[in-house]
Amino acid sequence: MPFSPFDRDRLDDKRPRFRLIPVRMLLPNLITLLALCAGITAIRLAVEGKLEWAVAAIVFAAALDGIDGRLARMLKGTSRFGAELDSLADFVNFGVAPALMLYFWGLRELGDLGWIAGLVFAISTGLRLARFNVMVDDPNKPAWAAKFFTGVPAPAGAIIVLLPIYLSFLGVPRLPGTAHFTLVYTFAIAVLMVSRLPVFSGKRVGKRVAPEMVLPVLVMVVLFFAVLIAFPWKVLTIGTLCYLASLPFGYLSYRQHERRDAASAAAPNAPAGAYPRSRGEAPPLSPGHGEQPADRDRPTRH
């Protein structure tokens, strides 16, 4: 025998060595899994006809989705595994669950056509997430592109596509054309998600808070959640309508940035970082959440 089987030193050399994973790497993933549990539970609640609780589960999952990425960057716990897990969770939470909720609520009255509408919405969510993961590393996008999404983001799409359900909970009567309106509305939101429409991201808002504004901000956050709990359907309806109304302003703001870049590129002493492009050619839009590679959610999220 080349060495004794009881030679501890030799045995230690043959043992596989595993690197310990710090807790800061696990915490964001646990939050993502919690959001996934909320999305799957929303599907069960929709099947059982408990749509109020199903909507609450989707809103809860959207809130957790806004936390896990920021927490991962704050703790420096980003990883490729977390990025992929986050994308899969978003597809279930904001694609599959809302589509099934709308189908069980009213789209099934249209038969196969209603099922196709829910299917298209779910597939659009998956396509949007896949586009985000592929395009986020684009090195040619200008710095200001981080202020915009490319199309409506998945969490926002899931919240606003449920508008017909909010209206029904507010007491709006279900007229004979309600199912057809829901069908068209679902297709419209699906198109907005996969489109290249520039949408305000809000990622750069609230990263720094002045010391004198800390307490007012905390009070406003608590007040918002209190109002949301007390009047959920009114808050969600108003929020959805305001979000839809803000879409044209995001487009106009993006074009204004483009015109500024074009003017800078055409100037004799254009800065080195100016975005060069020909007239009418749009730069690559920021995919998904519109973050720069060092400040994105999914590709190096946790």
Side-chain angles (χ1 to χ4, degrees):
M1 298 180 63
F3 60 91
S4 172
F6 301 101
D7 189 347
R8 184 171 297 275
D9 294 336
R10 295 275 186 166
L11 289 176
D12 289 342
D13 293 338
K14 299 298 181 180
R15 291 176 182 174
R17 301 180 182 274
F18 297 98
R19 182 172 59 87
L20 296 179
I21 300 176
V23 177
R24 61 182 174 82
M25 301 284 290
L26 299 178
L27 186 58
N29 292 322
L30 292 176
I31 295 178
T32 302
L33 290 176
L34 183 60
L36 180 59
C37 291
I40 297 175
T41 303
I43 297 175
R44 174 190 172 182
L45 293 171
V47 173
E48 295 176 351
K50 303 175 182 178
L51 286 175
E52 296 90 343
W53 291 103
V55 172
I58 294 299
V59 174
F60 181 61
L64 293 179
D65 182 73
I67 293 174
D68 55 3
R70 290 176 172 85
L71 183 63
R73 292 191 296 271
M74 182 178 65
L75 299 178
K76 298 182 179 180
T78 59
S79 70
R80 187 63 186 177
F81 173 82
E84 298 300 329
L85 178 63
D86 187 68
S87 292
L88 293 174
D90 283 358
F91 175 67
V92 174
N93 297 342
F94 310 128
V96 177
L100 291 176
M101 291 168 60
L102 286 171
Y103 179 77
F104 288 122
W105 174 77
L107 289 178
R108 61 179 172 182
E109 297 178 6
L110 303 176
D112 293 338
L113 191 60
W115 175 251
I116 291 174
L119 190 66
V120 168
F121 178 82
I123 295 301
S124 298
T125 305
L127 292 174
R128 190 191 187 287
L129 293 170
R131 180 182 65 182
F132 170 70
N133 291 338
V134 170
M135 296 178 60
V136 74
D137 291 323
D138 185 1
N140 296 321
K141 64 182 180 182
W144 53 261
K147 301 178 182 179
F148 300 91
F149 300 149
T150 303
V152 175
I159 297 297
I160 64 178
V161 79
L162 299 177
L163 177 62
I165 298 180
Y166 308 153
L167 295 176
S168 69
F169 290 154
L170 286 175
V172 177
R174 297 188 62 174
L175 302 175
T178 299
H180 292 87
F181 167 78
T182 305
L183 176 77
V184 175
Y185 182 74
T186 303
F187 277 124
I189 300 302
V191 171
L192 288 176
M193 293 179 66
V194 297
S195 69
R196 297 187 62 85
L197 177 69
V199 180
F200 285 123
S201 69
K203 289 286 185 175
R204 299 300 178 90
V205 177
K207 286 195 172 184
R208 295 290 186 271
V209 180
E212 64 274 10
M213 293 298 298
V214 171
L215 293 181
V217 168
L218 293 177
V219 171
M220 292 299 296
V221 171
V222 173
L223 180 62
F224 170 77
F225 281 102
V227 174
L228 178 61
I229 295 173
F231 309 99
W233 315 126
K234 293 181 179 179
V235 172
L236 291 173
T237 300
I238 295 174
T240 297
L241 296 177
C242 291
Y243 187 87
L244 293 175
S246 70
L247 296 181
F249 296 98
Y251 174 81
L252 295 176
S253 178
Y254 187 90
R255 295 308 176 194
Q256 184 178 10
H257 282 287
E258 279 190 324
R259 288 192 292 268
R260 290 177 181 175
D261 271 6
S264 298
N269 298 322
Y275 189 85
R277 61 181 182 276
S278 59
R279 184 178 181 85
E281 179 184 357
L285 292 178
S286 172
H289 287 65
E291 291 290 323
Q292 292 293 330
D295 191 33
R296 58 185 181 250
D297 277 341
R298 290 181 175 78
T300 57
R301 204 185 50 76
H302 45 274

